[in-house]
Amino acid sequence: MAKAFLQTSTPFLIAKRFRGKINIQKPRKPHFEKQLLLDLSKPFFGPRKNTLPEISLCEKGKKEWAKIEIDNPFERILARECLEWFNTSKMVVFIHVNSISMEEKTPVYAALKKNNMHLRTYGKKIVKMATTGTRYEAVNHLFTSHQNVIFGQPENSAKMFNILKKAPQLIVMGGIIQDKLLSKNELVEFSKLPNLEVARSQLCSILQSAGSSIVGQLNQSQQMLVGHLEKHVEIQNSSKADSSPSQDNAEDSPAS
Amino acid sequence: MSIPYSGTFKRSGGVVSAIGKQLKAVNLKAAKRITVKFDPFADNVTHTRNFLHYMSAKKIALTNTNCALKTEVVCDRSEPTIEITLAPSIAETEKIAKVTFKCGNLTCLEILQLLNKHISSKAPVDQIATTQTKLEKKSKKK
């Protein structure tokens, strides 16, 4: 019967009941940890509601689970990395991403990487953190749906368009080339422009063309005269040649 | 003395579930070509771009393999529009060649609802070809 009940360790039991005199005036100081618990769990009753002004009692304007902005150091690191990419690459292209599997996206990523271009994904919040206050602030406007960014150099823009043709789910929206924001059509035009050296040589030839045309016009009459004289000489030579073989034939035949 | 329950028995799952429900109901059999035109720098393009993202999914493309989804990016600050050219057989019966959605003030859910109302409803029903087995034919003859 005794084993059915919980065994209490009797030495720790001190009979306080039926004692006669109980101590209230000088209570024993509790143990440190007991005192800690008592202090922590002390109930707090704020000011009475009838003493408060009515405006603090209104509950209409409060948002229950308001989002508290927590400073995330990893986000700051990512934002710094994003800004570095923006600063170091002379060509930045923003593309809208339709539903595409990684299976189809990886060859595009690899092809771009081979041509020294980097396809990267950054979220809206990170890009906002990275670009607010810098000169890239206008770019925020594009980051509303699903998008990726390609960082590269302007020489590879034609190759980039060729690579992106194979992935129709990646749609070019616009880009930044040498600190200038361009729309999609302007980007396409830029990619079709020739190499910088070729453009320079074309410019040189245009500048020279004015002077060379004057020189040509001045020399025109003299060259015509020279041409006519040459033709005249040719005609005379040919006529002499016609007449002299007939004389030679005539000399030869009596000899033979 | 209890009042009978009034109101909804099931609670709504939110906008995302509503969009998912509409996407499951999308049937592009009546459409020949879908052209989505938007200006990325305009203000009201979020919902159109989201719609484009959802429509480019493989499941929806499978409903009609002949339907092409084309995107045009413009830079004239014009309103985003979605133009759907109907298949010639449907166009003849309905006397409508094209359906245009002007999505400047529409949300993604509304665009999908309108799409289902105008395009998915016009999709021709697939007729299941029933083949009779030899036994059935014999039993019929008897």
Side-chain angles (χ1 to χ4, degrees), chain A residues 96-99 104 141-142 144-147 171-173 181 183-185, chain B residues 38 40-43 45-46 49-50 52-53 56-58 69 71 73 75:
Chain A
H96 169 86
V97 176
N98 273 346
S99 196
E104 291 166 29
H141 206 78
L142 292 171
T144 51
S145 182
H146 301 252
Q147 48 281 318
I171 300 156
V172 175
M173 291 195 289
L181 188 63
S183 71
K184 189 220 170 181
N185 296 332
Chain B
F38 67 93
F41 289 99
D43 287 327
V45 198
T46 316
R49 280 176 67 182
N50 284 336
L52 179 59
H53 184 91
S56 51
K58 270 195 176 164
L69 176 65
T71 321
V73 175
C75 51

Side-chain angles (χ1 to χ4, degrees), chain B:
Chain B
M1 280 295 287
S2 69
I3 309 164
Y5 181 74
S6 57
T8 54
F9 286 98
K10 288 187 282 188
R11 285 170 66 186
S12 149
V15 184
V16 182
S17 323
I19 290 178
K21 184 179 168 187
Q22 295 298 323
L23 282 172
K24 280 185 196 162
V26 164
N27 189 340
L28 296 176
K29 286 219 164 67
K32 187 179 156 196
R33 187 192 191 86
I34 304 179
T35 309
V36 182
K37 185 181 84 144
F38 67 93
D39 173 5
F41 289 99
D43 287 327
N44 43 12
V45 198
T46 316
H47 296 284
T48 316
R49 280 176 67 182
N50 284 336
F51 171 81
L52 179 59
H53 184 91
Y54 296 139
M55 290 305 274
S56 51
K58 270 195 176 164
K59 269 193 191 172
I60 291 182
L62 278 173
T63 56
N64 186 358
T65 46
N66 296 326
C67 180
L69 176 65
K70 198 189 163 202
T71 321
E72 271 177 37
V73 175
V74 290
C75 51
D76 49 8
R77 302 288 178 276
S78 59
E79 199 186 24
T81 58
I82 300 170
E83 221 175 70
I84 304 181
T85 326
L86 294 177
S89 50
I90 307 290
E92 275 172 26
T93 48
E94 304 279 342
K95 311 262 168 70
I96 304 169
K98 267 196 244 177
V99 181
T100 310
F101 297 113
K102 294 186 183 171
C103 313
N105 294 316
L106 292 173
T107 62
C108 187
L109 177 62
E110 284 166 4
I111 302 171
L112 281 165
Q113 281 169 341
L114 286 169
L115 179 91
N116 280 332
K117 178 178 162 189
H118 292 285
I119 308 287
S120 305
S121 53
K122 296 193 171 66
V125 181
D126 273 340
Q127 285 179 340
I128 308 164
T130 47
T131 48
Q132 271 192 329
T133 54
K134 264 189 182 175
L135 249 163
E136 279 178 7
K137 282 185 189 165
K138 273 188 185 172
S139 59
K140 264 202 171 179
K141 273 187 186 173
K142 283 183 185 171

